[in-house]
Amino acid sequence: MTVSTHPEPITGAAAPTRITSGTPRNRKSNREGFKVNWWLTGLMLAASLTILLPLYFTVAMALKSPDQIGTGTGLAWPNPMNWENFAAAYVATNFPRAFMSTAFVTVLSVLGSLACSSLVAYAIARNWNHRFFRGSFVYLLSAMFIPFPVIILPLIKQTALLGLDNPAGVVFLHVLGGISFNTLLYIAFVRSIPVELEESARMDGATTWQVFRKIIFPLLAPMNATVGIFAFLGSWNDFLLPQMMIADPALQTLPVVQMLFQGEFNTNYSLAFASYLMAMAPTLVVYILAQRWVLSGVMRGAVK
């Protein structure tokens, strides 16, 4: 009997696993897809930081006295700081009443935009083979090419005849005016949702409304955030519609009420900027909380 001096290699499950550490060359090749362009990154960082300049200017002007505004540059930090400007602006604008009126218009505009635009987009996307729905889509898109100043006077006259010269009328026009753009965003997103999800639900006896409410609308969360932030910014900062539509001065929104600081021959910049800063705070909070969804919703809706 001969004994082999060269043992056979172990194969199968008993074979040990060879652990090799990556060579520097392999590790370098793995990082090639993640190169950082530091010059471009620095340029983009510097460009993004420019938004801090107008914010700093607003805060500095809000804390200055009229005498401090008349001397020096607008970028000089006030010393001493006049915190009483916020209290004076709070009283002058009747801030709680104007804030509630603005919040009423904004909240209902956002909810109305989400509900109406998503329903319209779902109906068009799932019935695209019908000529009526394709024509409806073209009709909605054509509304985006009509300048708003051209139709504002007829709209104001019609809303006054219908008794909608109040915040409710402003909400109605905000929702109606945003359907075209919002539907365009929603349709691209709805088309990316598999139809098989709806078909399985219908086989279980779900109606069209149940399919939309329990399946489609929850899946539209990124796009809902995108449309919601656009509707929020558009309604919260809107000046033209409330000024021309709301007949009762007691129901005016913050952007319109803040005009009282601008007289015919002078402007109280201290109180005006303090009021602007108080009105801007909710917008900053909402955008900071929802800004990560905005780009996500737009990018996911653009890919079918």
Side-chain angles (χ1 to χ4, degrees):
M1 181 177 65
T2 55
V3 178
S4 175
T5 57
H6 301 284
E8 296 294 332
I10 302 175
T11 60
T17 304
R18 178 177 295 180
I19 302 175
T20 59
S21 58
T23 61
R25 182 177 180 180
N26 292 334
R27 289 196 299 267
K28 182 178 180 181
S29 62
N30 293 334
R31 292 197 302 265
E32 287 182 356
F34 301 95
K35 290 182 179 180
V36 179
N37 189 333
W38 293 108
W39 290 103
L40 183 59
T41 303
L43 179 62
M44 296 300 294
L45 180 61
S48 62
L49 290 178
T50 56
I51 194 175
L52 297 178
L53 182 61
L55 183 60
Y56 168 82
F57 181 82
T58 304
V59 175
M61 293 293 288
L63 295 174
K64 289 182 178 181
S65 64
D67 295 336
Q68 291 173 336
I69 291 178
T71 59
T73 63
L75 297 178
W77 187 256
N79 188 19
M81 294 181 289
N82 296 272
W83 295 98
E84 60 273 10
N85 291 338
F86 292 93
Y90 184 90
V91 175
T93 58
N94 197 352
F95 190 81
R97 185 178 62 186
F99 180 86
M100 291 304 298
S101 180
T102 309
F104 172 82
V105 172
T106 302
V107 171
L108 292 185
S109 297
V110 171
L111 295 179
S113 297
L114 295 179
C116 295
S117 300
S118 59
L119 285 170
V120 172
Y122 176 67
I124 294 177
R126 290 299 183 252
N127 297 277
W128 188 253
N129 294 329
H130 294 78
R131 183 179 303 176
F132 172 77
F133 290 94
R134 291 199 303 268
S136 300
F137 180 64
V138 175
Y139 174 77
L140 290 175
L141 290 184
S142 63
M144 298 177 60
F145 298 94
I146 301 177
F148 183 73
V150 175
I151 61 175
I152 187 169
L153 290 179
L155 283 177
I156 293 174
K157 185 174 181 62
Q158 290 178 1
T159 52
L161 293 175
L162 296 174
L164 294 176
D165 51 346
N166 49 46
V170 178
V171 172
F172 177 76
L173 290 184
H174 274 292
V175 175
L176 188 64
I179 285 182
S180 299
F181 178 71
N182 297 337
T183 301
L184 178 64
L185 296 179
Y186 270 122
I187 287 179
F189 198 95
V190 172
R191 287 179 177 175
S192 65
I193 300 176
V195 184
E196 290 76 12
L197 295 176
E198 305 174 37
E199 294 176 349
S200 61
R202 294 183 188 279
M203 292 178 63
D204 293 334
T207 62
T208 302
W209 169 247
Q210 290 174 335
V211 169
F212 175 80
R213 182 170 59 89
K214 296 182 179 181
I215 297 178
I216 301 300
F217 193 77
L219 294 176
L220 295 177
M223 188 55 64
N224 289 336
T226 303
V227 173
I229 193 66
F230 287 154
F232 179 89
L233 294 175
S235 56
W236 184 271
N237 298 322
D238 186 26
F239 172 80
L240 184 61
L241 276 180
Q243 184 197 32
M244 302 191 69
M245 286 188 58
I246 300 178
D248 189 357
L251 300 177
Q252 283 292 0
T253 58
L254 277 172
V256 179
V257 172
Q258 290 169 346
M259 287 293 296
L260 64 90
F261 299 115
Q262 301 180 15
E264 184 178 358
F265 300 104
N266 60 352
T267 301
N268 193 335
Y269 290 103
S270 300
L271 300 188
F273 276 92
S275 178
Y276 299 157
L277 198 59
M278 290 190 295
M280 186 173 57
T283 306
L284 293 177
V285 172
V286 171
Y287 188 79
I288 289 173
L289 294 178
Q291 52 103 8
R292 69 188 183 94
W293 293 95
V294 175
L295 184 59
S296 173
V298 173
M299 294 303 295
R300 291 181 62 182
V303 180
K304 184 177 180 180

